Amino acid sequence: IRRPSTAQMDAFAGSISARRHNHALGSVRSDGVDSTDANLYCSRLIVHTVHLGQGRRCWRRARRLLLEWRMHEGSSWSAVHKHPTGGLVTLAAMPHPRLPLFWVLNPCRVVCRVDGRRQASVGYATLEGHLIAGEERMSVRRGTSGDVTFEVLSLSRGAGPVGKLL
């Protein structure tokens, strides 16, 4: 099965502007996580941090790729596609990256974008029709020592009959 083309993802992303969020969560938009909100709402709370390197060059590259939504670049089984109108589509091979029987296009909406001196973040919320209900924020930080880290914060649960199996 072939991965959807850019034109197909553009058409899908352009058609989702009227969709509502498929959840009532809003915690990943800010810097912190309201653990009460997370515990009441989600079945999965993921916080994962990776050291990317050090220095100004690493920071600039990581920041640029993040703010351009290119954090999945090079992946053969997942992607994030941003449409000029603001629609966002996450793409995943199902049921497994090594044996994709079909591709899933999941509708999302950008809910945050921060471009600071030492931190850049982007976040999205899932919309009606997404297999997962929740929000995700990705951040790149440059510490005072020059260390550059990437962090993913995800609050989610399955949505609908199929999503609840994931």
Side-chain angles (χ1 to χ4, degrees), residues 8-17 81-83 85-89:
Q8 289 170 315
M9 289 188 286
D10 269 344
F12 182 71
S15 73
I16 62 175
S17 63
H81 180 78
K82 186 168 185 306
H83 189 267
T85 63
L88 191 72
V89 177

Side-chain angles (χ1 to χ4, degrees), residues 18-38:
R19 292 191 191 189
R20 297 183 315 226
H21 291 167
N22 63 353
H23 59 85
L25 188 65
S27 295
V28 304
R29 296 174 198 187
S30 63
D31 228 8
V33 177
D34 181 340
S35 58
T36 305
D37 231 10

Side-chain angles (χ1 to χ4, degrees), residues 60-93:
R60 281 194 304 240
R61 183 170 191 271
R63 180 186 151 274
R64 177 178 49 83
L65 292 173
L66 180 76
L67 294 174
E68 292 174 358
W69 292 92
R70 293 171 52 196
M71 67 286 290
H72 288 268
E73 197 167 85
S75 173
S76 61
W77 66 275
S78 68
V80 174
H81 180 78
K82 186 168 185 306
H83 189 267
T85 63
L88 191 72
V89 177
T90 59
L91 172 70

Side-chain angles (χ1 to χ4, degrees), residues 26-124:
S27 295
V28 304
R29 296 174 198 187
S30 63
D31 228 8
V33 177
D34 181 340
S35 58
T36 305
D37 231 10
N39 290 333
L40 291 175
Y41 177 77
C42 72
S43 58
R44 277 189 301 232
L45 168 62
I46 299 169
V47 180
H48 187 70
T49 304
V50 177
H51 182 262
L52 297 178
Q54 194 162 11
R56 183 179 219 112
R57 184 176 177 193
C58 179
W59 160 250
R60 281 194 304 240
R61 183 170 191 271
R63 180 186 151 274
R64 177 178 49 83
L65 292 173
L66 180 76
L67 294 174
E68 292 174 358
W69 292 92
R70 293 171 52 196
M71 67 286 290
H72 288 268
E73 197 167 85
S75 173
S76 61
W77 66 275
S78 68
V80 174
H81 180 78
K82 186 168 185 306
H83 189 267
T85 63
L88 191 72
V89 177
T90 59
L91 172 70
M94 298 296 280
H96 191 275
R98 295 181 193 263
L99 183 65
L101 298 177
F102 59 94
W103 289 91
V104 177
L105 296 175
N106 285 302
C108 303
R109 180 169 295 123
V110 175
V111 293
C112 83
R113 184 179 192 278
V114 174
D115 187 9
R117 227 177 111 233
R118 295 201 167 270
Q119 177 178 325
S121 300
V122 294
Y124 65 84

